[in-house]
Amino acid sequence: AQSVAQPEDQVNVAEGNPLTVKCTYSVSGNPYLFWYVQYPNRGLQFLLKYITGDNLVKGSYGFEAEFNKSQTSFHLKKPSALVSDSALYFCAVRDTGDDKIIFGKGTRLHILP
Amino acid sequence: DAGVIQSPRHEVTEMGQEVTLRCKPISGHNSLFWYRQTMMRGLELLIYFNNNVPIDDSGMPEDRFSAKMPNASFSTLKIQPSEPRDSAVYFCASITGLNTEAFFGQGTRLTVV
Protein backbone atom coordinates (compact mmCIF):
# COMPACT_ATOMS: atom_id res chain seq x y z
CA ALA A 1 0.00 0.00 0.00
CA GLN A 2 1.17 3.49 -0.76
CA SER A 3 2.09 5.98 1.95
CA VAL A 4 3.33 9.54 2.28
CA ALA A 5 5.44 11.13 4.98
CA GLN A 6 5.81 14.82 5.65
CA PRO A 7 8.42 14.85 8.41
CA GLU A 8 7.92 18.46 9.49
CA ASP A 9 4.71 19.60 11.17
CA GLN A 10 5.74 23.22 10.73
CA VAL A 11 8.31 25.17 8.73
CA ASN A 12 9.24 28.78 9.43
CA VAL A 13 10.94 30.86 6.75
CA ALA A 14 11.74 34.55 6.54
CA GLU A 15 10.13 36.43 3.69
CA GLY A 16 12.38 36.53 0.65
CA ASN A 17 14.30 33.41 1.63
CA PRO A 18 14.01 30.12 -0.25
CA LEU A 19 11.65 27.55 1.20
CA THR A 20 11.52 23.77 1.14
CA VAL A 21 8.71 21.53 2.37
CA LYS A 22 9.74 17.90 2.52
CA CYS A 23 7.85 14.84 1.31
CA THR A 24 8.81 11.20 0.97
CA TYR A 25 6.65 8.42 -0.37
CA SER A 26 6.34 4.68 -0.63
CA VAL A 27 4.66 2.85 -3.51
CA SER A 28 4.88 -0.60 -5.04
CA GLY A 29 4.74 0.63 -8.62
CA ASN A 30 5.46 4.00 -10.17
CA PRO A 31 4.20 7.06 -8.34
CA TYR A 32 2.00 9.91 -9.37
CA LEU A 33 2.86 12.74 -6.97
CA PHE A 34 0.94 15.88 -6.08
CA TRP A 35 1.20 18.97 -3.91
CA TYR A 36 -1.82 20.84 -2.61
CA VAL A 37 -2.23 23.97 -0.49
CA GLN A 38 -4.99 24.71 2.00
CA TYR A 39 -5.82 28.17 3.27
CA PRO A 40 -7.93 28.60 6.44
CA ASN A 41 -11.51 27.38 6.12
CA ARG A 42 -10.99 26.41 2.50
CA GLY A 43 -10.69 23.24 0.47
CA LEU A 44 -7.45 21.94 -0.97
CA GLN A 45 -6.08 23.68 -4.03
CA PHE A 46 -3.86 21.88 -6.51
CA LEU A 47 -0.32 23.27 -6.92
CA LEU A 48 1.58 20.84 -9.13
CA LYS A 49 2.04 17.20 -10.08
CA TYR A 50 4.62 14.74 -11.29
CA ILE A 51 3.41 12.02 -13.63
CA THR A 52 6.40 11.27 -15.83
CA GLY A 53 9.20 13.06 -17.66
CA ASP A 54 11.29 15.90 -16.30
CA ASN A 55 12.06 15.46 -12.60
CA LEU A 56 11.66 19.18 -11.94
CA VAL A 57 8.02 20.18 -12.03
CA LYS A 58 6.83 23.78 -12.02
CA GLY A 59 3.44 24.76 -10.69
CA SER A 60 1.25 27.59 -9.50
CA TYR A 61 2.40 30.69 -7.58
CA GLY A 62 6.09 30.12 -8.37
CA PHE A 63 6.29 26.75 -6.64
CA GLU A 64 8.27 23.83 -7.99
CA ALA A 65 9.05 20.31 -6.85
CA GLU A 66 11.77 17.84 -7.65
CA PHE A 67 11.07 14.15 -8.07
CA ASN A 68 13.94 12.00 -6.78
CA LYS A 69 13.32 8.34 -7.42
CA SER A 70 16.38 7.04 -5.57
CA GLN A 71 15.46 8.96 -2.43
CA THR A 72 11.69 8.47 -2.96
CA SER A 73 11.21 12.17 -2.34
CA PHE A 74 9.17 14.98 -3.85
CA HIS A 75 10.14 18.14 -1.96
CA LEU A 76 8.27 21.37 -2.63
CA LYS A 77 10.40 24.46 -3.19
CA LYS A 78 10.15 28.15 -3.92
CA PRO A 79 13.14 30.45 -4.50
CA SER A 80 11.73 33.44 -2.61
CA ALA A 81 8.97 33.11 -0.03
CA LEU A 82 6.06 35.52 0.34
CA VAL A 83 4.01 36.14 3.48
CA SER A 84 0.98 35.09 1.44
CA ASP A 85 2.51 31.61 1.04
CA SER A 86 1.69 30.93 4.69
CA ALA A 87 -0.72 27.99 4.63
CA LEU A 88 -1.01 24.23 5.15
CA TYR A 89 0.70 22.14 2.45
CA PHE A 90 -0.13 18.54 1.60
CA CYS A 91 1.84 16.04 -0.40
CA ALA A 92 -0.11 13.18 -2.01
CA VAL A 93 0.72 10.01 -3.90
CA ARG A 94 -1.12 7.68 -6.22
CA ASP A 95 0.30 4.30 -7.21
CA THR A 96 0.00 3.25 -10.84
CA GLY A 97 -2.75 0.71 -11.14
CA ASP A 98 -4.51 1.98 -8.04
CA ASP A 99 -7.08 4.75 -7.91
CA LYS A 100 -6.45 5.75 -4.32
CA ILE A 101 -4.84 9.12 -3.58
CA ILE A 102 -3.15 9.12 -0.19
CA PHE A 103 -2.19 12.35 1.56
CA GLY A 104 0.49 13.17 4.07
CA LYS A 105 -0.45 14.79 7.36
CA GLY A 106 0.41 18.23 6.11
CA THR A 107 3.08 20.82 6.88
CA ARG A 108 2.17 24.25 8.16
CA LEU A 109 4.31 26.88 6.48
CA HIS A 110 4.85 30.20 8.25
CA ILE A 111 6.48 32.97 6.30
CA LEU A 112 7.78 35.61 8.67
CA PRO A 113 7.74 39.24 7.50
CA ASP B 1 -18.11 24.40 -14.17
CA ALA B 2 -18.89 25.25 -10.54
CA GLY B 3 -16.42 22.72 -9.22
CA VAL B 4 -17.14 20.07 -6.60
CA ILE B 5 -20.11 21.15 -4.52
CA GLN B 6 -20.62 19.99 -0.96
CA SER B 7 -23.53 20.63 1.35
CA PRO B 8 -24.06 21.68 4.00
CA ARG B 9 -20.96 23.80 4.69
CA HIS B 10 -21.52 23.54 8.41
CA GLU B 11 -23.49 21.03 10.44
CA VAL B 12 -24.01 20.99 14.18
CA THR B 13 -25.89 18.04 15.57
CA GLU B 14 -26.46 16.26 18.82
CA MET B 15 -24.86 12.96 19.64
CA GLY B 16 -26.98 10.07 18.44
CA GLN B 17 -28.52 11.92 15.53
CA GLU B 18 -28.16 10.88 11.91
CA VAL B 19 -26.02 13.12 9.71
CA THR B 20 -25.96 13.13 5.92
CA LEU B 21 -23.29 14.93 3.95
CA ARG B 22 -23.76 15.54 0.23
CA CYS B 23 -21.43 15.92 -2.71
CA LYS B 24 -21.88 16.79 -6.36
CA PRO B 25 -18.72 15.99 -8.34
CA ILE B 26 -17.56 17.83 -11.42
CA SER B 27 -19.49 16.71 -14.48
CA GLY B 28 -17.58 14.08 -16.45
CA HIS B 29 -15.38 13.03 -13.56
CA ASN B 30 -15.50 9.28 -13.04
CA SER B 31 -13.94 8.85 -9.60
CA LEU B 32 -15.09 10.33 -6.31
CA PHE B 33 -13.33 10.36 -2.96
CA TRP B 34 -14.48 11.11 0.58
CA TYR B 35 -11.83 12.35 3.04
CA ARG B 36 -11.95 13.36 6.69
CA GLN B 37 -9.61 16.02 8.09
CA THR B 38 -8.72 16.29 11.77
CA MET B 39 -5.81 17.88 13.59
CA MET B 40 -4.67 14.56 14.97
CA ARG B 41 -4.96 12.37 11.88
CA GLY B 42 -4.58 14.81 9.02
CA LEU B 43 -6.44 13.96 5.82
CA GLU B 44 -7.76 10.40 5.85
CA LEU B 45 -9.28 8.64 2.85
CA LEU B 46 -12.60 7.13 3.91
CA ILE B 47 -13.92 5.63 0.68
CA TYR B 48 -13.71 6.09 -3.05
CA PHE B 49 -15.95 5.29 -6.00
CA ASN B 50 -15.10 4.59 -9.62
CA ASN B 51 -17.95 4.93 -12.11
CA ASN B 52 -20.39 5.06 -9.17
CA VAL B 53 -19.14 1.75 -7.73
CA PRO B 54 -17.49 1.68 -4.28
CA ILE B 55 -13.96 0.37 -4.80
CA ASP B 56 -12.28 0.67 -1.42
CA ASP B 57 -14.06 1.47 1.85
CA SER B 58 -11.25 0.28 4.13
CA GLY B 59 -10.89 3.76 5.54
CA MET B 60 -14.45 3.94 6.83
CA PRO B 61 -13.94 4.00 10.60
CA GLU B 62 -16.97 2.07 11.75
CA ASP B 63 -20.25 0.57 10.67
CA ARG B 64 -21.86 3.83 11.69
CA PHE B 65 -20.43 5.31 8.49
CA SER B 66 -21.90 4.54 5.09
CA ALA B 67 -21.56 6.09 1.65
CA LYS B 68 -23.53 5.83 -1.56
CA MET B 69 -23.25 7.08 -5.10
CA PRO B 70 -26.59 6.44 -6.79
CA ASN B 71 -25.55 8.22 -9.97
CA ALA B 72 -22.60 10.03 -11.52
CA SER B 73 -23.63 13.40 -10.18
CA PHE B 74 -24.37 12.72 -6.52
CA SER B 75 -22.87 11.03 -3.49
CA THR B 76 -23.74 10.93 0.20
CA LEU B 77 -21.83 10.11 3.35
CA LYS B 78 -24.03 9.16 6.26
CA ILE B 79 -23.17 8.80 9.93
CA GLN B 80 -25.73 7.06 12.09
CA PRO B 81 -25.64 7.48 15.02
CA SER B 82 -23.20 10.35 15.23
CA GLU B 83 -20.71 10.73 18.09
CA PRO B 84 -18.59 13.68 19.29
CA ARG B 85 -15.41 12.02 17.95
CA ASP B 86 -16.87 12.27 14.45
CA SER B 87 -16.40 16.03 14.61
CA ALA B 88 -14.13 16.94 11.69
CA VAL B 89 -14.10 18.53 8.28
CA TYR B 90 -15.28 16.15 5.58
CA PHE B 91 -14.10 16.70 2.02
CA CYS B 92 -15.30 15.30 -1.24
CA ALA B 93 -13.02 15.23 -4.30
CA SER B 94 -13.39 14.06 -7.88
CA ILE B 95 -11.04 13.23 -10.74
CA THR B 96 -11.38 12.52 -14.40
CA GLY B 97 -8.52 10.09 -14.97
CA LEU B 98 -5.46 8.40 -13.59
CA ASN B 99 -3.01 11.11 -14.63
CA THR B 100 -5.03 13.98 -13.28
CA GLU B 101 -5.21 15.82 -10.01
CA ALA B 102 -8.20 15.65 -7.70
CA PHE B 103 -10.51 18.62 -7.37
CA PHE B 104 -11.80 19.27 -3.88
CA GLY B 105 -15.01 20.72 -2.57
CA GLN B 106 -15.05 23.36 0.16
CA GLY B 107 -15.76 20.76 2.81
CA THR B 108 -18.42 20.23 5.46
CA ARG B 109 -17.46 21.14 9.00
CA LEU B 110 -19.29 18.70 11.27
CA THR B 111 -19.65 19.32 14.98
CA VAL B 112 -21.31 16.67 17.11
CA VAL B 113 -22.17 17.87 20.61
Side-chain angles (χ1 to χ4, degrees), chain A residues 53-100:
Chain A
D54 194 347
N55 289 345
L56 184 63
V57 178
K58 294 186 182 297
S60 306
Y61 312 120
F63 283 93
E64 58 189 28
E66 186 166 11
F67 170 62
N68 188 317
K69 188 172 183 177
S70 62
Q71 297 186 4
T72 61
S73 67
F74 190 57
H75 301 330
L76 182 70
K77 300 182 179 184
K78 187 172 182 181
S80 179
L82 301 173
V83 172
S84 57
D85 293 329
S86 298
L88 185 59
Y89 289 81
F90 289 94
C91 182
V93 67
R94 189 177 198 184
D95 200 346
T96 50
D98 190 337
D99 290 335
K100 288 196 293 188

Short mmCIF file of all heavy atoms in Angstrom, two decimals, chain A residues 53-100:
data_model
loop_
_atom_site.label_atom_id
_atom_site.label_comp_id
_atom_site.label_asym_id
_atom_site.label_seq_id
_atom_site.Cartn_x
_atom_site.Cartn_y
_atom_site.Cartn_z
N GLY A 53 8.42 12.06 -16.95
CA GLY A 53 9.20 13.06 -17.66
C GLY A 53 10.18 13.78 -16.77
O GLY A 53 10.78 13.20 -15.86
N ASP A 54 10.32 15.07 -17.00
CA ASP A 54 11.29 15.90 -16.30
C ASP A 54 11.08 15.82 -14.79
O ASP A 54 9.96 15.98 -14.30
CB ASP A 54 11.16 17.35 -16.77
CG ASP A 54 12.34 18.21 -16.36
OD1 ASP A 54 13.14 17.75 -15.51
OD2 ASP A 54 12.46 19.33 -16.87
N ASN A 55 12.18 15.61 -14.05
CA ASN A 55 12.06 15.46 -12.60
C ASN A 55 11.72 16.76 -11.89
O ASN A 55 11.22 16.75 -10.77
CB ASN A 55 13.37 14.91 -12.03
CG ASN A 55 13.59 13.45 -12.40
OD1 ASN A 55 12.68 12.77 -12.85
ND2 ASN A 55 14.81 12.99 -12.23
N LEU A 56 11.99 17.89 -12.53
CA LEU A 56 11.66 19.18 -11.94
C LEU A 56 10.32 19.64 -12.51
O LEU A 56 10.19 19.85 -13.71
CB LEU A 56 12.75 20.20 -12.22
CG LEU A 56 12.57 21.57 -11.56
CD1 LEU A 56 12.58 21.44 -10.03
CD2 LEU A 56 13.64 22.53 -12.03
N VAL A 57 9.37 19.81 -11.62
CA VAL A 57 8.02 20.18 -12.03
C VAL A 57 7.73 21.59 -11.54
O VAL A 57 7.96 21.90 -10.37
CB VAL A 57 6.99 19.20 -11.44
CG1 VAL A 57 5.59 19.61 -11.84
CG2 VAL A 57 7.29 17.79 -11.88
N LYS A 58 7.20 22.42 -12.41
CA LYS A 58 6.83 23.78 -12.02
C LYS A 58 5.31 23.88 -11.91
O LYS A 58 4.58 23.27 -12.69
CB LYS A 58 7.36 24.79 -13.02
CG LYS A 58 8.89 24.85 -13.05
CD LYS A 58 9.40 25.96 -13.94
CE LYS A 58 10.92 25.96 -14.00
NZ LYS A 58 11.52 26.23 -12.67
N GLY A 59 4.87 24.66 -10.92
CA GLY A 59 3.44 24.76 -10.69
C GLY A 59 2.98 26.18 -10.45
O GLY A 59 3.64 27.14 -10.87
N SER A 60 1.87 26.29 -9.74
CA SER A 60 1.25 27.59 -9.50
C SER A 60 2.04 28.41 -8.49
O SER A 60 2.75 27.85 -7.66
CB SER A 60 -0.17 27.39 -8.99
OG SER A 60 -0.93 26.57 -9.84
N TYR A 61 1.87 29.74 -8.56
CA TYR A 61 2.40 30.69 -7.58
C TYR A 61 3.92 30.61 -7.42
O TYR A 61 4.44 30.94 -6.35
CB TYR A 61 1.73 30.49 -6.22
CG TYR A 61 0.23 30.41 -6.30
CD1 TYR A 61 -0.45 29.28 -5.85
CD2 TYR A 61 -0.53 31.45 -6.84
CE1 TYR A 61 -1.83 29.19 -5.93
CE2 TYR A 61 -1.91 31.36 -6.93
CZ TYR A 61 -2.55 30.23 -6.47
OH TYR A 61 -3.91 30.13 -6.57
N GLY A 62 4.64 30.16 -8.44
CA GLY A 62 6.09 30.12 -8.37
C GLY A 62 6.66 28.90 -7.68
O GLY A 62 7.88 28.81 -7.48
N PHE A 63 5.81 27.96 -7.28
CA PHE A 63 6.29 26.75 -6.64
C PHE A 63 6.81 25.75 -7.66
O PHE A 63 6.37 25.70 -8.80
CB PHE A 63 5.17 26.10 -5.82
CG PHE A 63 4.89 26.79 -4.52
CD1 PHE A 63 3.91 27.76 -4.43
CD2 PHE A 63 5.61 26.48 -3.38
CE1 PHE A 63 3.65 28.42 -3.23
CE2 PHE A 63 5.36 27.11 -2.18
CZ PHE A 63 4.39 28.08 -2.11
N GLU A 64 7.75 24.93 -7.19
CA GLU A 64 8.27 23.83 -7.99
C GLU A 64 8.58 22.66 -7.07
O GLU A 64 8.66 22.83 -5.84
CB GLU A 64 9.52 24.25 -8.77
CG GLU A 64 10.65 24.74 -7.91
CD GLU A 64 11.77 25.35 -8.75
OE1 GLU A 64 11.52 25.86 -9.85
OE2 GLU A 64 12.93 25.29 -8.27
N ALA A 65 8.72 21.49 -7.65
CA ALA A 65 9.05 20.31 -6.85
C ALA A 65 9.95 19.42 -7.67
O ALA A 65 9.84 19.35 -8.90
CB ALA A 65 7.79 19.55 -6.43
N GLU A 66 10.83 18.72 -6.97
CA GLU A 66 11.77 17.84 -7.65
C GLU A 66 11.51 16.39 -7.27
O GLU A 66 11.55 16.03 -6.08
CB GLU A 66 13.20 18.21 -7.30
CG GLU A 66 14.23 17.41 -8.11
CD GLU A 66 15.62 17.99 -8.03
OE1 GLU A 66 15.84 18.89 -7.19
OE2 GLU A 66 16.48 17.57 -8.82
N PHE A 67 11.27 15.57 -8.26
CA PHE A 67 11.07 14.15 -8.07
C PHE A 67 12.43 13.48 -8.02
O PHE A 67 13.25 13.63 -8.93
CB PHE A 67 10.23 13.58 -9.21
CG PHE A 67 10.16 12.07 -9.23
CD1 PHE A 67 9.61 11.38 -8.17
CD2 PHE A 67 10.65 11.36 -10.32
CE1 PHE A 67 9.53 10.00 -8.19
CE2 PHE A 67 10.59 9.97 -10.35
CZ PHE A 67 10.02 9.29 -9.28
N ASN A 68 12.68 12.73 -6.93
CA ASN A 68 13.94 12.00 -6.78
C ASN A 68 13.59 10.55 -6.51
O ASN A 68 13.19 10.18 -5.40
CB ASN A 68 14.77 12.59 -5.63
CG ASN A 68 16.15 11.99 -5.57
OD1 ASN A 68 16.32 10.78 -5.71
ND2 ASN A 68 17.15 12.82 -5.33
N LYS A 69 13.76 9.72 -7.54
CA LYS A 69 13.32 8.34 -7.42
C LYS A 69 14.18 7.55 -6.44
O LYS A 69 13.67 6.74 -5.66
CB LYS A 69 13.36 7.65 -8.78
CG LYS A 69 12.74 6.26 -8.79
CD LYS A 69 12.62 5.71 -10.19
CE LYS A 69 11.92 4.35 -10.17
NZ LYS A 69 11.73 3.80 -11.53
N SER A 70 15.48 7.81 -6.43
CA SER A 70 16.38 7.04 -5.57
C SER A 70 16.13 7.35 -4.09
O SER A 70 16.28 6.47 -3.24
CB SER A 70 17.84 7.32 -5.93
OG SER A 70 18.15 8.68 -5.72
N GLN A 71 15.74 8.58 -3.81
CA GLN A 71 15.46 8.96 -2.43
C GLN A 71 13.96 8.91 -2.13
O GLN A 71 13.57 9.24 -1.01
CB GLN A 71 16.00 10.36 -2.15
CG GLN A 71 17.52 10.46 -2.27
CD GLN A 71 18.05 11.81 -1.85
OE1 GLN A 71 17.31 12.67 -1.40
NE2 GLN A 71 19.35 11.99 -2.02
N THR A 72 13.17 8.50 -3.08
CA THR A 72 11.69 8.47 -2.96
C THR A 72 11.18 9.76 -2.31
O THR A 72 10.43 9.73 -1.34
CB THR A 72 11.20 7.24 -2.17
OG1 THR A 72 11.73 7.25 -0.84
CG2 THR A 72 11.60 5.97 -2.87
N SER A 73 11.62 10.87 -2.89
CA SER A 73 11.21 12.17 -2.34
C SER A 73 10.60 13.05 -3.42
O SER A 73 10.83 12.85 -4.61
CB SER A 73 12.41 12.88 -1.71
OG SER A 73 13.35 13.24 -2.71
N PHE A 74 9.84 14.01 -2.96
CA PHE A 74 9.17 14.98 -3.85
C PHE A 74 9.02 16.26 -3.06
O PHE A 74 7.93 16.68 -2.70
CB PHE A 74 7.82 14.42 -4.31
CG PHE A 74 7.16 15.20 -5.41
CD1 PHE A 74 7.79 15.42 -6.62
CD2 PHE A 74 5.87 15.70 -5.25
CE1 PHE A 74 7.18 16.12 -7.64
CE2 PHE A 74 5.24 16.41 -6.28
CZ PHE A 74 5.90 16.62 -7.46
N HIS A 75 10.14 16.94 -2.79
CA HIS A 75 10.14 18.14 -1.96
C HIS A 75 9.62 19.34 -2.74
O HIS A 75 9.97 19.56 -3.90
CB HIS A 75 11.55 18.44 -1.46
CG HIS A 75 12.15 17.32 -0.65
ND1 HIS A 75 11.39 16.45 0.10
CD2 HIS A 75 13.45 16.95 -0.48
CE1 HIS A 75 12.18 15.58 0.69
NE2 HIS A 75 13.43 15.84 0.35
N LEU A 76 8.83 20.14 -2.06
CA LEU A 76 8.27 21.37 -2.63
C LEU A 76 9.23 22.53 -2.34
O LEU A 76 9.72 22.65 -1.22
CB LEU A 76 6.90 21.65 -1.99
CG LEU A 76 6.15 22.88 -2.49
CD1 LEU A 76 5.65 22.66 -3.91
CD2 LEU A 76 4.99 23.20 -1.56
N LYS A 77 9.45 23.37 -3.35
CA LYS A 77 10.40 24.46 -3.19
C LYS A 77 9.86 25.74 -3.82
O LYS A 77 9.02 25.71 -4.73
CB LYS A 77 11.75 24.08 -3.83
CG LYS A 77 12.39 22.86 -3.24
CD LYS A 77 13.74 22.56 -3.88
CE LYS A 77 14.36 21.32 -3.23
NZ LYS A 77 15.72 21.04 -3.76
N LYS A 78 10.42 26.85 -3.32
CA LYS A 78 10.15 28.15 -3.92
C LYS A 78 11.38 29.02 -3.66
O LYS A 78 11.88 29.05 -2.53
CB LYS A 78 8.90 28.79 -3.32
CG LYS A 78 8.48 30.07 -4.04
CD LYS A 78 7.13 30.55 -3.53
CE LYS A 78 6.70 31.79 -4.29
NZ LYS A 78 5.39 32.33 -3.83
N PRO A 79 11.88 29.71 -4.67
CA PRO A 79 13.14 30.45 -4.50
C PRO A 79 13.04 31.62 -3.51
O PRO A 79 14.00 31.92 -2.82
CB PRO A 79 13.44 30.96 -5.92
CG PRO A 79 12.63 30.11 -6.83
CD PRO A 79 11.41 29.72 -6.07
N SER A 80 11.87 32.26 -3.46
CA SER A 80 11.73 33.44 -2.61
C SER A 80 10.32 33.44 -2.01
O SER A 80 9.33 33.62 -2.71
CB SER A 80 11.96 34.71 -3.44
OG SER A 80 11.80 35.86 -2.64
N ALA A 81 10.26 33.25 -0.70
CA ALA A 81 8.97 33.11 -0.03
C ALA A 81 8.25 34.44 0.14
O ALA A 81 8.89 35.49 0.36
CB ALA A 81 9.17 32.45 1.33
N LEU A 82 6.92 34.37 0.07
CA LEU A 82 6.06 35.52 0.34
C LEU A 82 5.24 35.25 1.59
O LEU A 82 4.90 34.11 1.87
CB LEU A 82 5.10 35.75 -0.84
CG LEU A 82 5.72 36.02 -2.21
CD1 LEU A 82 4.64 36.05 -3.28
CD2 LEU A 82 6.50 37.32 -2.19
N VAL A 83 4.86 36.31 2.29
CA VAL A 83 4.01 36.14 3.48
C VAL A 83 2.71 35.43 3.09
O VAL A 83 2.19 34.61 3.85
CB VAL A 83 3.72 37.50 4.13
CG1 VAL A 83 2.69 37.36 5.25
CG2 VAL A 83 5.01 38.11 4.69
N SER A 84 2.23 35.71 1.90
CA SER A 84 0.98 35.09 1.44
C SER A 84 1.10 33.60 1.16
O SER A 84 0.09 32.92 0.93
CB SER A 84 0.47 35.81 0.18
OG SER A 84 1.45 35.76 -0.84
N ASP A 85 2.33 33.07 1.20
CA ASP A 85 2.51 31.61 1.04
C ASP A 85 2.19 30.86 2.32
O ASP A 85 2.15 29.62 2.32
CB ASP A 85 3.95 31.29 0.62
CG ASP A 85 4.29 31.79 -0.77
OD1 ASP A 85 3.37 31.85 -1.62
OD2 ASP A 85 5.47 32.12 -1.00
N SER A 86 2.00 31.57 3.41
CA SER A 86 1.69 30.93 4.69
C SER A 86 0.38 30.16 4.58
O SER A 86 -0.67 30.73 4.25
CB SER A 86 1.57 31.98 5.79
OG SER A 86 2.78 32.68 5.97
N ALA A 87 0.44 28.86 4.80
CA ALA A 87 -0.72 27.99 4.63
C ALA A 87 -0.32 26.58 5.04
O ALA A 87 0.80 26.34 5.50
CB ALA A 87 -1.21 28.00 3.18
N LEU A 88 -1.25 25.65 4.87
CA LEU A 88 -1.01 24.23 5.15
C LEU A 88 -0.78 23.53 3.81
O LEU A 88 -1.59 23.67 2.90
CB LEU A 88 -2.22 23.65 5.87
CG LEU A 88 -2.17 22.21 6.38
CD1 LEU A 88 -1.02 22.01 7.36
CD2 LEU A 88 -3.49 21.86 7.06
N TYR A 89 0.32 22.79 3.70
CA TYR A 89 0.70 22.14 2.45
C TYR A 89 0.63 20.63 2.60
O TYR A 89 1.15 20.06 3.57
CB TYR A 89 2.10 22.58 2.03
CG TYR A 89 2.13 24.02 1.58
CD1 TYR A 89 2.17 25.06 2.51
CD2 TYR A 89 2.06 24.34 0.23
CE1 TYR A 89 2.15 26.38 2.10
CE2 TYR A 89 2.06 25.66 -0.18
CZ TYR A 89 2.10 26.67 0.75
OH TYR A 89 2.07 27.98 0.34
N PHE A 90 0.03 19.99 1.60
CA PHE A 90 -0.13 18.54 1.60
C PHE A 90 0.55 17.94 0.39
O PHE A 90 0.36 18.40 -0.74
CB PHE A 90 -1.61 18.15 1.55
CG PHE A 90 -2.37 18.42 2.81
CD1 PHE A 90 -3.08 19.60 2.97
CD2 PHE A 90 -2.39 17.48 3.84
CE1 PHE A 90 -3.80 19.84 4.13
CE2 PHE A 90 -3.10 17.72 5.01
CZ PHE A 90 -3.81 18.91 5.15
N CYS A 91 1.28 16.87 0.64
CA CYS A 91 1.84 16.04 -0.40
C CYS A 91 0.93 14.81 -0.56
O CYS A 91 0.36 14.33 0.43
CB CYS A 91 3.25 15.60 -0.01
SG CYS A 91 4.12 14.59 -1.21
N ALA A 92 0.77 14.33 -1.78
CA ALA A 92 -0.11 13.18 -2.01
C ALA A 92 0.51 12.26 -3.06
O ALA A 92 1.27 12.72 -3.93
CB ALA A 92 -1.49 13.63 -2.47
N VAL A 93 0.18 10.99 -2.98
CA VAL A 93 0.72 10.01 -3.90
C VAL A 93 -0.38 9.08 -4.39
O VAL A 93 -1.32 8.76 -3.67
CB VAL A 93 1.85 9.18 -3.25
CG1 VAL A 93 1.32 8.29 -2.13
CG2 VAL A 93 2.58 8.34 -4.29
N ARG A 94 -0.22 8.68 -5.63
CA ARG A 94 -1.12 7.68 -6.22
C ARG A 94 -0.24 6.64 -6.89
O ARG A 94 0.68 6.99 -7.64
CB ARG A 94 -2.02 8.36 -7.24
CG ARG A 94 -3.12 7.50 -7.76
CD ARG A 94 -3.96 8.31 -8.70
NE ARG A 94 -5.26 7.68 -8.91
CZ ARG A 94 -6.16 8.15 -9.74
NH1 ARG A 94 -5.93 9.26 -10.42
NH2 ARG A 94 -7.31 7.53 -9.90
N ASP A 95 -0.47 5.38 -6.62
CA ASP A 95 0.30 4.30 -7.21
C ASP A 95 -0.31 3.92 -8.55
O ASP A 95 -1.54 3.89 -8.68
CB ASP A 95 0.28 3.10 -6.26
CG ASP A 95 1.42 2.12 -6.52
OD1 ASP A 95 2.06 2.23 -7.58
OD2 ASP A 95 1.65 1.26 -5.66
N THR A 96 0.52 3.67 -9.55
CA THR A 96 0.00 3.25 -10.84
C THR A 96 -0.78 1.95 -10.67
O THR A 96 -0.36 1.04 -9.95
CB THR A 96 1.11 3.02 -11.86
OG1 THR A 96 2.11 2.17 -11.28
CG2 THR A 96 1.75 4.34 -12.25
N GLY A 97 -1.92 1.89 -11.28
CA GLY A 97 -2.75 0.71 -11.14
C GLY A 97 -3.69 0.76 -9.96
O GLY A 97 -4.45 -0.18 -9.72
N ASP A 98 -3.64 1.83 -9.21
CA ASP A 98 -4.51 1.98 -8.04
C ASP A 98 -5.13 3.37 -8.09
O ASP A 98 -4.44 4.34 -8.35
CB ASP A 98 -3.68 1.82 -6.76
CG ASP A 98 -4.53 1.71 -5.51
OD1 ASP A 98 -5.69 2.18 -5.52
OD2 ASP A 98 -4.03 1.17 -4.52
N ASP A 99 -6.42 3.45 -7.83
CA ASP A 99 -7.08 4.75 -7.91
C ASP A 99 -6.88 5.61 -6.67
O ASP A 99 -7.10 6.81 -6.71
CB ASP A 99 -8.59 4.54 -8.12
CG ASP A 99 -8.89 4.00 -9.52
OD1 ASP A 99 -8.08 4.23 -10.42
OD2 ASP A 99 -9.94 3.35 -9.68
N LYS A 100 -6.49 5.01 -5.57
CA LYS A 100 -6.45 5.75 -4.32
C LYS A 100 -5.41 6.87 -4.35
O LYS A 100 -4.31 6.70 -4.86
CB LYS A 100 -6.10 4.83 -3.14
CG LYS A 100 -7.21 3.89 -2.76
CD LYS A 100 -6.99 3.29 -1.40
CE LYS A 100 -5.80 2.36 -1.40
NZ LYS A 100 -5.72 1.62 -0.11
#
